[in-house]
């Protein structure tokens, strides 16, 4: 009876929400003041159009029987579950089993206002849209004379008579935290000497200036200097001589890094600066990343920086921006409806950030003013004209020569303020260089400044000195848009520094470490959140004295190691082999430590009686889910040994949404049952574990269990060994040997059928999808969605790129292929293994260099709506080859495709036929998709790789690259240290709700709303137009991405036979978060002693932008949106929110005053940080 009441209430609520949404929309359409023109009246034609559309909406109201049927289905589903009926799509094998007891139907309720954002249409068009700029330019690479990639610059000497030229020479030293040498070796050999000399030499003359960016190095140096020297550093910073620019742990790669890690290293650097020096960075400095993402300006703006600088941009773009005086611009996010994300960006105009390419257009002249290259030194000028020391006799001639370069460079910018960087990699490491540069330049400045007829004021400056002078000159507040400066949207990939040398290889280089990076990132986020929650609960219970606070030092170390790896030669895969090993050792060390932090937190949180908690580091309460034997090996999963006593598992879900997941566990017996905490049997499937194509691992079985896991919570499960009664359903396997004579070791307890020949074509199917495969290859051929007649061609194939035969060949940075890819032709045909079971089925294809597994889950919710694809790649016997995976479809995508930037946002791309093949590859840290008016195909990835769409309907990704030579960019090595690497993907096919006339009430509603809001403005591809090429993933795509990147962690209770304390599942959230909200982090802040935690934490939230026009299926949990409103007060069960202070992204600035209200609001795409106190 109680159940029926619940059902009635649930059904009525859904119906009311739907009708009320309709009413609001009608009301909005009729009364929205923005729709009235200034005269207050619509033209008659518009009124009639509106009337027609309102009538259509009224007709749609009559179709509400669809809602009723939806409720009816939910009621039936709920009743079926309540009565214990099997809820799975396939018939139960060997007995009955049911969904978890708390299973319930889920619903999707998206506020129509939340759909508006993705439609765009608001805001002004930018002056510079990078997709349009690419379409416009000829990319003809004409010889520009002394400025080879530019043009001849002329000026009239009288141009500065009324407004003198103001020159800021900015000394800098670019310190890579690992590249040719390891981080530590660089520090001991060079960086410590640079900083020691800086401290000494800056104090000799108050006119001297210096900037520094890498806090990883600076903090190491700080730890090794005296209190007296620290005070001197603070004085130099305080009086403006030394500026910390950007202030991140590193200068991150912007192609492969994920936004979690980009933010984390920025917080780590900024928190260190605030605590140790008391300074907040104001300007961004990124001279060396190989291309630039529009995510970075957003993060800097949210951190309260007011300006930024970039350098490595395609030489044709630089030339075009220089010719149009657009090298300084306001960089705005593509999706920003106003100017709230604008930040001033300065683009350096020339080839490099070294001295020959920074004073002006002629490197032969500029090199003569790099006084480290004075005759007798270790480096000289390649242009054969050496620098000369400045004397009274030559100062007039030398100053005039340099001023000519300054004036020419100044002509490329809109203001009469000029920035001239003075430095290079690891410069200023000896006192002699400080003297050579600073004394000679000061003589030049003194001469120039003493001659009023030259109309120039020259001085040393910091980066912010330059930007402050620029803002002062144009008469506006720092951070505002200078008059006449253009607004730009888009990004700066892909980068070429000369000719057709595109830096698109590093999007894939060393994929093993790109994958390990994301595993560590996922563990760090999980450990931060669980540690923060465990600590808050322990403090509330007065048990924090027994809790291992020392775990905080492990978190700090992991933050710093992950941060270090975001460096643009680390995650990029462009460091020496020994340096890559050093990074790998650091990543693995932190991964192991984070597993310990998670285990300790989980141990405390699942104990029924917290008083029994005892932390014993020598004998952890929980075991690890997997181990890695070395920094370059794939993980090996823990095998759980079963005997007569039950074994307990604790499963951690790092997502902020409840998830219905298939959890895999390895056991040593086929006689296993999995029960819930309450002792209810759970749906499970038993399968063999394979060593190779034909060889099973003896006495090891995988039991996969379907479990509903609480959001950010811990679920307790039981494993029982049993010898009688109902067995766990076993998956059956067919093995096709394709004519190869191979011995097969059959598993004992799992059915296996061996076929000597190749298979016929075959299909796998669940309630949502049918996936068909080519029998002879085992590769995917087509997909068909449930309820559709149409079969979509989605065929996969492996391809191989070679490299050129000429002198310039592919290397760690560059992709220089010898033409289009050729089909991968292995020595032997593949062995294909097809496994079918009640929870999932999969196809494994074993080739010589790649083993691919395509899995289809037969479970409700997110897992069953896409294909799980993994490729284990081993190309260690290849020479100068790159292995690619290509999907070919019948989607009419033309030349347009979409890739993500840092997992944060989507950027539209266009295949440029006028550019070489390698120019059309882009980074894919999280996803890429192609689409037409009917469908969208998304490839979601668990590691950053290079991606492209070279023909309509295609998506291809580079899996690994093995290259035998250096590509002449300073590394001095090829890529020959390949590992056996596992690349993991999800393939998601979605149907547009507008593509199908019978696609249901809600989809029609969305399409009507779209038509009402933005009538007739778009043509061609639904989301690409040069003015605002804006696109978003669907909610399903977002959720699939986090499922892929944040897997559930399975931790066995270590005690096998001893009496166990009572364990209880931990459910931390009292309410469900809106499903467009992502908890990016809950990061406990450090105390005065930085190895210990404070009582405060940073809660970082991201509200995702999403596309409503793609049909949403049953996601397996209740997915609602709330127009960006969330109440944090009652979010954490059993904890009180003691304080809530909105802050800038990196917690350096409070935003407004802390109020008693715990209600917050985020705009779509907004990332917001809150300083909170939980207890």
């Amino acid at each position: 009876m109680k159940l029926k009441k619940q059902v009635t209430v649930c059904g009525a609520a859904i119906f009311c929400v739907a009708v009320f949404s309709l009413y609001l929309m009608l009301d909005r359409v009729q009364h929205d003041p923005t729709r009235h023109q200034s005269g207050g009246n619509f033209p008659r034609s518009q009124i009639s159009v509106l009337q027609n559309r309102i009538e259509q909406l009224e007709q749609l109201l009559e179709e509400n029987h669809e809602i009723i049927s939806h409720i009816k289905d939910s009621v039936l589903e709920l009743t079926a579950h309540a009565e214990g009926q099997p809820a799975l799509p396939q018939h139960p094998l060997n007995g009955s089993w049911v969904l978890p007891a708390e299973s319930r139907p889920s619903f999707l309720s998206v506020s129509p206002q939340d759909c508006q954002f993705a439609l765009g249409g608001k805001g002004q068009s930018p002056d510079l849209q990078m997709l349009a700029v690419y379409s416009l330019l000829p990319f003809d690479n004409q010889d520009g004379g002394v400025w080879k990639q530019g043009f001849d610059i002329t000026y009239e000497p009288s141009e500065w008579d009324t407004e003198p030229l103001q020159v800021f020479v900015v000394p800098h030293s670019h310190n890579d935290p690992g590249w040719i040498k390891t981080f530590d070796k660089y520090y001991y050999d060079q960086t410590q000497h640079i900083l020691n000399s800086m401290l000494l030499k800056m104090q000799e003359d108050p006119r001297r200036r210096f900037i520094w960016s890498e806090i990883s190095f600076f903090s190491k140096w700080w730890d090794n200097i005296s209190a007296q020297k620290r005070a001197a550093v603070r004085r130099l910073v305080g009086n403006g001589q030394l500026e910390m620019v950007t202030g991140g742990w590193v200068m991150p790669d912007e192609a492969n890094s994920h936004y979690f890690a980009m933010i984390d290293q920025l917080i780590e650097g900024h928190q260190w600066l605030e605590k140790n020096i008391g300074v907040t960075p104001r300007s961004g400095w990124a001279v060396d990343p190989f291309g630039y993402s529009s995510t970075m300006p957003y993060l800097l703006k949210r951190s309260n920086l007011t300006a930024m600088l970039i350098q490595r941009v395609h030489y044709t773009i630089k030339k075009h921006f220089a010719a149009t005086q657009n090298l300084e611009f306001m960089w705005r996010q593509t999706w920003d409806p106003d100017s709230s994300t604008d930040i001033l960006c300065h683009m350096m105009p020339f080839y490099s950030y070294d001295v020959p390419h920074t004073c002006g257009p002629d490197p032969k002249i500029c090199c003569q003013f790099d006084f480290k290259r004075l005759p007798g030194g270790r480096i000289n000028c390649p242009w054969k004209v050496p620098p000369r020391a400045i004397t009274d006799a030559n100062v007039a001639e030398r100053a005039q020569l340099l001023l000519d370069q300054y004036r020419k460079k100044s002509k490329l910018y809109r203001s009469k303020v000029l920035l001239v960087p003075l430095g290079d990699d690891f410069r200023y490491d000896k006192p002699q260089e400080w003297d050579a540069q600073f004394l000679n330049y000061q003589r030049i400045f003194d001469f120039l400044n003493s001659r009023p007829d030259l109309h120039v004021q020259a001085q040393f400056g910091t980066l912010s000195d330059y930007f402050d002078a620029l803002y002062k000159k144009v008469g506006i507040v720092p951070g505002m848009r200078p008059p006449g400066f253009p607004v730009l949207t888009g990004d700066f990939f892909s980068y070429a520094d000369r000719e057709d040398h595109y830096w698109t290889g590093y999007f894939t280089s060393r994929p093993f470490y790109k994958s390990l990076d994301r595993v560590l990132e996922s563990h760090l986020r999980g450990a931060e959140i669980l540690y923060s929650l465990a600590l808050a609960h322990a403090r509330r219970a007065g048990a924090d004295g027994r809790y291992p606070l020392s775990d905080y030092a492990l978190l700090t170390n992991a933050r710093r190691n992950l941060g270090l790896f975001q460096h643009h030669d680390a995650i990029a895969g462009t460091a020496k082999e020994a340096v890559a090993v050093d990074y790998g050792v650091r990543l693995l060390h932190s991964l192991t430590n984070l597993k310990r932090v998670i285990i300790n937190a989980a141990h405390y949180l699942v104990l029924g009686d917290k008083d029994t908690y005892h932390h014993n580091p020598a004998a952890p309460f929980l075991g690890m889910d997997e181990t890695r034997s070395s920094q370059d090996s794939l993980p090996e999963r823990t095998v759980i040994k079963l005997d007569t006593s039950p074994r307990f598992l604790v499963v951690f879900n790092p997502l902020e949404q409840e998830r219905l997941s298939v959890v895999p566990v390895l056991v040593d017996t086929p006689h296993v049952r999995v029960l819930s905490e309450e002792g209810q049997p759970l749906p499970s499937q038993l399968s063999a574990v394979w060593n190779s194509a034909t060889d099973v691992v003896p006495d090891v079985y995988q039991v996969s269990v379907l479990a509903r896991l609480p959001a950010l919570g811990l679920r307790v499960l039981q494993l029982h060994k049993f010898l009688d009664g109902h067995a766990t359903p076993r998956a059956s396997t067919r093995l096709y040997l394709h004519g190869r004579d191979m011995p097969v070791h059959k598993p004992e307890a799992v059915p296996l059928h061996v076929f000597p020949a190749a298979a016929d074509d075959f299909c796998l199917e669940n309630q949502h999808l049918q996936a068909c495969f080519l029998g002879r290859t085992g590769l995917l051929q087509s997909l068909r969605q449930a309820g559709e007649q149409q079969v979509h061609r989605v065929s996969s194939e492996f391809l191989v790129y070679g490299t050129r035969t000429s002198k310039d060949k592919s290397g760690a940075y560059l992709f220089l292929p010898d033409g289009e890819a050729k089909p991968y032709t292995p020595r032997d045909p593949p062995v294909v293994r097809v496994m079918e079971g009640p929870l999932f089925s999969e196809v494994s294809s074993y080739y010589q260099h790649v083993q691919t597994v395509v899995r289809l889950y037969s479970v409700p919710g997110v897992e069953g709506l896409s294909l799980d694809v993994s490729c284990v790649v081993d190309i260690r016997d290849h020479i100068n080859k790159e292995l690619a995976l290509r999907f070919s479809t019948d989607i009419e995508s033309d030349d347009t495709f979409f890739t993500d930037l840092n997992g944060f946002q989507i950027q539209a791309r266009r295949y440029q036929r006028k550019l070489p093949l390698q120019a059309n590859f882009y980074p894919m840290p999280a996803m890429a998709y192609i689409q037409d008016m009917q469908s969208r195909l998304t490839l979601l990835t668990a590691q950053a790789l290079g991606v492209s769409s070279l023909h309509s309907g295609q998506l291809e990704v580079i899996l690994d690259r093995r290259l035998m030579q250096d590509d002449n960019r300073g590394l001095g090595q090829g890529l020959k240290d390949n590992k056996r690497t596992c690349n993991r993907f999800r393939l998601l096919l979605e149907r547009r709700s507008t593509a199908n006339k019978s696609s249901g009430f809600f989809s029609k509603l969305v399409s009507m709303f779209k038509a009402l809001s933005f009538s007739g403005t778009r043509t061609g591809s639904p989301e690409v137009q040069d003015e605002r090429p804006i696109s978003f993933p669907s909610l399903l795509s977002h959720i699939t991405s986090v499922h892929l990147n944040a897997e559930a962690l399975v931790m066995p209770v270590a005690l096998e036979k001893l009496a166990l304390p009572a364990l209880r599942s931990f459910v931390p959230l009292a309410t469900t978060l809106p499903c467009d909200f992502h908890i990016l982090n809950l990061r406990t802040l450090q105390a005065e002693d930085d190895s210990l935690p404070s009582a405060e934490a940073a809660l970082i939230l991201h509200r995702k932008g999403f596309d409503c026009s793609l049909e949403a299926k049953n996601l397996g949990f209740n997915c609602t949106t709330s127009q960006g409103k969330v109440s944090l007060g009652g979010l954490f069960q059993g904890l009180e929110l003691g304080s809530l202070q909105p802050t800038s992204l990196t917690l350096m600035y409070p935003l407004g005053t802390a109020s008693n209200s715990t209600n917050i609001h985020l705009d779509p795409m907004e990332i917001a940080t809150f300083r909170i106190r939980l207890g």
Side-chain angles (χ1 to χ4, degrees), residues 172-176 179 190 288 353 423-427:
H172 69 99
S173 180
H174 179 63
N175 282 237
D176 289 302
W179 181 38
Q190 284 152 290
D288 203 26
Y353 56 82
D424 202 345
D425 291 0
F426 294 96
R427 281 300 190 90

Side-chain angles (χ1 to χ4, degrees), residues 187 192 195-196 198-199 218-234 272 277:
Y187 174 78
Q192 64 169 335
L195 292 169
N196 287 334
M198 180 271 299
L199 195 54
F218 203 87
S219 66
K220 188 175 177 72
W221 176 65
W222 186 265
D223 290 343
N224 289 293
I225 60 173
S226 66
Q228 185 185 5
K229 287 183 175 178
R230 289 178 180 182
V233 170
R234 290 191 189 103
W272 188 93
I277 303 180

